Amino acid sequence: MSLDPSLSPLPSPSRSPATAREHEVVLVRHGETAWSRAGRHTGRTDLPLTEAGEAEARRLEPALAGRFFAQVLCSPLQRARRTCELAGLAPQAAFDPDLQEWDYGLYEGLTSPQIHAEVPGWLVFRDGCPEGETPEAVAARVDRVIERVRAVDGPVALFAHGHLLRVLAARWLGLPAAAGAHLLLDTSTLSTLAWYQGVPALGCWNAPLVQS
């Protein structure tokens, strides 16, 4: 994997620090919205789930039922909040602004082909967004989330957004934000961050739900 070293924002431990608890962190990307279906970059625009998105989110409930979570954190944006509610974990959820999606600035609402027509080769994980966030800024936010969840005594669930969670997974592994480009993530999927002999690891990634 060839990564631009200038995009490695903050040091992230490759081994478990003394204060970390070696438990799972379950990542849940919100259900479909009209913009996610159309491939439009949806950062801080607060869109609801589509009917299909609500159906997707409901399928999360049996997948998560009976699992104990010491902490549930959720983006304050309604697409994540509603997904958390339909998954059955809203009563114990706390909102964390660090889990909001990437601020796309001038690229908000645009598709990748529209952006590439003006900026050929643009990649959000490498280039960031004009008048929005840089990869370093997003990495700093998810590093704060990682520090908090590693201090929790028990498993954690996070409800958030596609690009944000891809950077979070990269940073969990000690990789720069640019590595998020390698981690495709669909709506209403489950992923797990874990440990392997004291080393941060991926337990599973982009796991689809069984259609009912």
Side-chain angles (χ1 to χ4, degrees):
M1 183 185 302
S2 177
L3 298 171
D4 183 345
S6 68
L7 295 179
S8 181
L10 294 173
S12 182
S14 59
R15 297 192 64 82
S16 169
T19 57
R21 308 287 198 274
E22 293 194 11
H23 54 257
E24 288 188 336
V25 179
V26 175
L27 309 181
V28 185
R29 185 185 173 192
H30 64 76
E32 179 195 83
T33 69
W35 280 17
S36 70
R37 182 178 60 212
R40 298 172 66 182
H41 286 80
T42 319
R44 304 303 169 82
T45 303
D46 203 9
L47 297 178
L49 300 180
T50 62
E51 285 189 21
E54 295 228 344
E56 289 173 348
R58 287 189 183 95
R59 290 197 294 273
L60 290 164
E61 185 173 19
L64 297 172
R67 294 194 60 169
F68 166 74
F69 292 103
Q71 186 175 67
V72 177
L73 297 177
C74 182
S75 161
L77 296 171
Q78 65 170 308
R79 56 194 185 271
R81 296 199 324 263
R82 182 62 171 157
T83 300
C84 183
E85 178 185 356
L86 293 173
L89 294 178
Q92 68 178 109
F95 298 137
D96 188 337
D98 281 336
L99 287 174
Q100 292 184 95
E101 180 59 296
W102 203 304
D103 182 349
Y104 297 119
L106 296 180
Y107 293 162
E108 182 77 3
L110 300 181
T111 65
S112 291
Q114 288 175 319
I115 299 169
H116 289 155
E118 299 295 327
V119 187
W122 173 81
L123 183 67
V124 67
F125 296 99
R126 181 189 62 224
D127 304 318
C129 302
E131 298 188 23
E133 284 185 295
T134 64
E136 293 84 355
V138 178
R141 286 202 281 124
V142 302
D143 282 352
R144 292 194 294 266
V145 175
I146 290 170
E147 182 178 9
R148 290 194 288 272
V149 302
R150 283 180 174 172
V152 175
D153 190 11
V156 176
L158 303 178
F159 287 79
H161 311 271
H163 285 163
L164 184 285
L165 289 175
R166 290 165 70 176
V167 175
L168 192 151
R171 297 300 295 145
W172 177 272
L173 298 173
L175 299 173
H182 300 275
L183 299 169
L184 301 180
L185 189 61
D186 298 322
T187 55
S188 286
T189 49
L190 295 175
S191 302
T192 304
L193 306 179
W195 299 88
Y196 174 73
Q197 297 182 11
V199 178
L202 287 182
C204 71
W205 187 255
N206 202 30
L209 299 171
V210 176
Q211 300 246 351
S212 57

